[in-house]
Amino acid sequence: MSAESLVVEVVRSGFVESTHRARMLAVGADGSPVRVHGAVDALVSPRSSMKPLQGLGMLRAGLALEGELLALSCASHAGEPFHVAGARRILSGAGLEESALRCPEDLPEDVASRDEVLRSGGGRARIYMNCSGKHSAMLATCVINDWPLETYLDPAHPLQKAIRHTVEELTGERVAATGVDGCGAPLFFVSMVGVTRAFRAFVQAAPGTPERRIADAFRDHPEWTSGTTRPEAQLMRAVPGLMVKAGAEAFDAFAFTDGRAGTVKIEDGGQRARVPVTVAALRALGLEGPGLDELAAGVLFGGGRPVGEIRLR
């Protein structure tokens, strides 16, 4: 499957000052391609867009989380106070302290939350790192199964083997390579076709199944999967029934209740082009909602006022 990449233009004061190329795969309710740009069948690094699959592997291994804490276990959170408190709840429920976490130390990504930490005399901590919800859930899964805690990020660990099996099952592909994600967890390389197939499995699963529990947690608690003001949460609020998960280096994966789904990858990792292309993929599938125009516009500012836009050519 191959087609020309989509070109995204960054226009300032009427001048095209930069361009990004994007891959896009959008499939209809029956799974057939509706819009394709770029080599969507080539290997890709989905980064945190794989967190729902990691969460599913943990549920299948006995993790007992529901609602907002399940959403947080699949999140790239902004470090807002409720995110941090939620990660601590997951750890305490497993009888663990923050010292068990093996993700890097960080400050909250949310600016107001970061400022408050610094104002109060705090600093970088593992619990503030955007993957701390996932890492807390990984540790809780290890406690349930009496698996080693210190090595839970090792690809040979029983937890990571279970997650890899889940990734291969849902994507319908063998993992071609294993790397290391920014948080230290194993990163599995598959194709955009495989990730799209996996996201369709979440929304099409029967109520009460582990897959559907994750999809419902995303849609019921979008701010727990990202942040109060993050575009992924805005997309899910704008289009009820939509599940969206972003990944680093400008990757997005989404699926709608009836099976319409897609993936987006900005080839140079430029995050500013990601959301406009994702909105274009949604609209190619006939998905609309309030606020999408603003998310698609990609407004550029100069001197505090709009002076340009990010647009698809």
Side-chain angles (χ1 to χ4, degrees):
M1 190 183 300
S2 182
E4 288 189 5
S5 297
L6 191 64
V7 176
V8 183
E9 296 179 331
V10 180
V11 183
R12 182 179 296 274
S13 303
F15 178 77
V16 178
E17 63 178 1
S18 299
T19 58
H20 302 274
R21 291 189 176 276
R23 302 182 213 171
M24 175 202 292
L25 173 61
V27 304
D30 63 355
S32 60
V34 172
R35 188 169 176 183
V36 180
H37 292 278
V40 297
D41 51 355
L43 286 181
V44 70
S45 169
R47 301 296 294 272
S48 285
S49 292
M50 298 297 273
K51 283 180 177 173
L53 284 75
Q54 293 171 312
L56 178 59
M58 290 187 275
L59 286 183
R60 289 178 171 180
L63 180 66
L65 293 178
E66 299 289 346
E68 68 270 14
L69 293 186
L70 179 55
L72 184 63
S73 74
C74 304
S76 300
H77 66 72
E80 295 173 73
F82 67 92
H83 295 135
V84 177
R88 286 173 172 153
R89 283 166 57 195
I90 295 173
L91 287 171
S92 64
L96 297 172
E97 302 288 340
E98 295 175 30
S99 58
L101 293 169
R102 292 291 179 267
C103 53
E105 294 181 346
D106 207 348
L107 288 167
E109 292 184 2
D110 177 67
V111 174
S113 301
R114 180 189 310 160
D115 289 347
E116 180 56 34
V117 167
L118 295 174
R119 246 192 322 266
S120 64
R124 293 178 177 271
R126 299 183 194 278
I127 199 71
Y128 298 137
M129 200 264 171
N130 74 89
C131 300
S132 67
K134 178 184 78 174
H135 281 250
S136 298
M138 285 182 168
L139 286 163
T141 306
C142 291
V143 169
I144 290 168
N145 290 279
D146 197 25
W147 289 336
L149 300 180
E150 297 78 8
T151 57
Y152 74 92
L153 296 180
D154 190 320
H157 191 281
L159 170 67
Q160 301 304 337
K161 286 183 176 180
I163 290 173
R164 176 176 177 141
H165 176 78
T166 300
V167 168
E168 292 186 332
E169 177 189 332
L170 260 67
T171 61
E173 300 176 359
R174 295 296 299 273
V175 169
T178 301
V180 182
D181 210 336
C183 67
L187 173 65
F188 301 122
F189 291 81
V190 289
S191 74
M192 293 173 63
V193 173
V195 178
T196 303
R197 183 182 295 121
F199 269 65
R200 294 185 73 241
F202 283 104
V203 298
Q204 293 188 308
T209 59
E211 293 90 339
R212 182 63 174 274
R213 285 164 56 197
I214 288 176
D216 289 345
F218 266 74
R219 296 179 292 198
D220 292 343
H221 308 281
E223 67 281 1
W224 285 79
T225 70
S226 52
T228 305
T229 62
R230 288 269 283 274
E232 304 91 87
Q234 293 174 33
L235 286 168
M236 286 187 275
R237 287 194 292 262
V239 185
L242 185 68
M243 172 187 179
V244 181
K245 184 67 192 78
E249 296 302 316
F251 197 96
D252 256 351
F254 68 85
F256 187 67
T257 301
D258 63 4
R260 283 177 282 180
T263 43
V264 162
K265 166 63 181 172
I266 308 305
E267 294 185 353
D268 64 3
Q271 288 285 0
R272 61 184 174 180
R274 173 177 60 87
V275 178
V277 175
T278 297
V279 173
L282 292 171
R283 287 179 161 166
L285 297 173
L287 293 170
E288 288 285 352
L292 287 191
D293 284 341
E294 291 78 5
L295 289 167
V299 178
L300 297 181
F301 291 88
R305 61 185 179 86
V307 296
E309 63 177 339
I310 299 171
R311 68 189 184 194
L312 278 63
R313 188 171 72 194

